Amino acid sequence: MKIKHYLYNAFIIESGGKKIAIDPGGLFFYFFRFTPLIPETEWKRITHIFVTHGDPDHYWHLDRVANASNAHVICNKTMVRNIGGKTLMLGPRDKGLAFTTSLKRLHTISVGETIQLDGMSITGIQTTHGELILKFGPFSKTVKPGAGVRVGWGAIGFEIRIDNKSIVNLGDTLLHEKEWQEVDKPDVLMIPIGGRAIHNTMDEGEALKAVKIMKPKLVIPCHYNCPAFFTKKYNPADDQKFKQDVQAIGSDCVILHKGDSVEL
């Protein structure tokens, strides 16, 4: 199994003939363009796409990747509506909560539900997106997820059991100490750590509590020190200190920069 990281929560997992993409979003940086996080050269061979929520940095290119690859798409049931007899997903580039996107191979899941797909066992995990602070020069705006708000819409994590390994990806989330007790010793935990300055996800200390709860073999920190809004380190975090703390409690930890990979 090979896992490659592409900033934020964008990952490619290759195992047993499957090529899984997680959160094929966009990089919001120069000239207000959401350039692809996962390179277009990877798109055609992708077999499955997992979506943790509808924010642009996680979701912007979902339909384009799905159309290029004819991949299966797995998401929270709240990302889908039946409108006029058609099953439609939240539009990746639409404003607000507009359900406009039709996909051929769509599979939905709820928190606590398990589905079987192509030899994989997939379980939905409770997650909660924190508030987002948008800064434009001296001005800022705080957006809190909730009914009718696009930020954090459809938030869910996944436990993916594939080829005798368990992979957990939490997307963007705050800490859930009680709900995550059921996640036991996954082989890999992909966890956000960049919530120190803007608390849209866990910070390093909260992520360490999650590691203590789940006891994974390998931890991959994500969603931190990313370029966004004309800064090169949005959601800042100290990944080296986090790695030391993780290893001190008995789990391994690997830091993957853009395009880096690890093999299991």
Side-chain angles (χ1 to χ4, degrees):
M1 178 180 290
K2 181 178 180 180
I3 299 174
K4 184 177 284 190
H5 186 36
Y6 286 108
L7 298 179
Y8 290 94
N9 191 51
F11 288 91
I12 291 285
I13 303 169
E14 295 185 75
S15 181
K18 295 181 178 65
K19 185 167 185 170
I20 297 167
I22 298 177
D23 284 356
L27 175 61
F28 185 32
F29 200 29
Y30 295 115
F31 307 114
F32 297 93
R33 293 179 60 190
F34 279 103
T35 57
L37 287 170
I38 296 175
E40 293 185 51
T41 53
E42 300 270 21
W43 290 7
K44 287 185 179 180
R45 294 183 294 114
I46 289 172
T47 59
H48 301 80
I49 305 169
F50 286 78
V51 177
T52 65
H53 65 288
D55 285 3
D57 54 316
H58 296 253
Y59 190 58
W60 191 259
H61 293 287
L62 173 277
D63 57 333
R64 293 166 173 165
V65 177
N67 288 334
S69 61
N70 196 32
H72 295 271
V73 174
I74 303 94
C75 66
N76 195 334
K77 289 183 177 178
T78 59
M79 293 287 287
V80 176
R81 296 260 176 92
N82 188 289
I83 299 175
K86 295 182 179 180
T87 300
L88 300 175
M89 283 193 76
L90 183 67
R93 292 167 299 281
D94 289 336
K95 293 182 179 179
L97 297 176
F99 292 82
T100 59
T101 300
S102 176
L103 294 176
K104 297 177 182 178
R105 309 174 83 180
L106 181 62
H107 310 267
T108 60
I109 191 170
S110 297
V111 171
E113 181 182 5
T114 299
I115 62 173
Q116 307 298 322
L117 178 64
D118 292 344
M120 296 183 290
S121 178
I122 304 161
T123 301
I125 298 174
Q126 177 71 54
T127 62
T128 302
H129 197 291
E131 66 182 29
L132 185 63
I133 301 175
L134 305 176
K135 293 184 178 181
F136 301 93
F139 305 101
S140 65
K141 180 180 180 181
T142 300
V143 182
K144 296 183 179 181
V149 179
R150 175 70 180 249
V151 170
W153 187 265
I156 195 169
F158 299 100
E159 181 175 17
I160 308 165
R161 294 186 179 273
I162 175 174
D163 296 332
N164 297 315
K165 288 184 170 58
S166 171
I167 313 297
V168 171
N169 184 286
L170 298 173
D172 287 1
T173 185
L174 304 177
L175 180 63
H176 283 271
E177 294 185 75
K178 180 180 178 180
E179 292 85 347
W180 293 347
Q181 296 287 342
E182 297 180 0
V183 182
D184 187 35
K185 299 178 182 177
D187 291 283
V188 180
L189 171 62
M190 303 166 176
I191 189 167
I193 67 170
R196 188 198 316 157
I198 298 174
H199 204 51
N200 56 329
T201 75
M202 291 177 282
D203 60 22
E204 301 101 309
E206 292 163 328
L208 189 63
K209 289 181 180 179
V211 173
K212 291 178 180 178
I213 291 168
M214 298 185 193
K215 301 179 179 63
K217 292 180 181 178
L218 176 66
V219 177
I220 304 177
C222 60
H223 210 281
Y224 70 96
N225 293 351
C226 294
F229 303 110
F230 304 102
T231 177
K232 292 184 177 180
K233 288 193 174 182
Y234 195 73
N235 287 120
D238 186 341
D239 54 8
Q240 293 296 334
K241 176 65 165 55
F242 178 73
K243 179 177 180 177
Q244 291 173 5
D245 291 342
V246 167
Q247 292 176 330
I249 61 176
S251 294
D252 197 4
C253 182
V254 62
I255 295 171
L256 300 181
H257 299 107
K258 182 180 179 181
D260 288 350
S261 62
V262 61
E263 295 193 21
L264 307 180

